[in-house]
Amino acid sequence: MPKDDYANLGMLAVTVDVTDASSTVVNKRAKVIAYDTKGSPMNNVTIVPDTLTAETKITLPAKEMPIQLRYTGALAEGFSPRFD
């Protein structure tokens, strides 16, 4: 990159496409992109190597919640509740 533009370099980043992934994504190639301090891509930057191999852990959203069961009414004669 031109020396004068170095002060504007904000970060280097990769984006890994995990579309339809349900488990860890491994050996995914990702292009390295330079961004300026305002978040815009910088086209005048040469990055070597320009791609990386990425691994991204995928965890599906989940939440544990306590459940309390309450019964109302009565079972018909001859029946009893079964708890397994």
Side-chain angles (χ1 to χ4, degrees), residues 40-67:
S40 298
M42 298 178 74
N43 298 323
N44 59 343
V45 177
T46 302
I47 301 169
V48 178
D50 65 345
T51 59
L52 298 176
T53 301
E55 178 175 323
T56 304
K57 184 177 179 180
I58 305 294
T59 53
L60 300 176
K63 185 174 184 178
E64 290 186 28
M65 298 185 65
I67 296 177

Side-chain angles (χ1 to χ4, degrees), residues 11-15 30-35 47 50 52:
M11 69 176 170
L12 298 176
V14 297
T15 300
K31 183 167 178 57
V32 181
I33 300 173
Y35 293 91
I47 301 169
D50 65 345
L52 298 176

Side-chain angles (χ1 to χ4, degrees), residues 63-82:
K63 185 174 184 178
E64 290 186 28
M65 298 185 65
I67 296 177
Q68 293 181 347
L69 299 176
R70 295 190 181 114
Y71 295 98
T72 59
L75 293 173
E77 190 173 322
F79 289 92
S80 65
R82 179 177 176 178

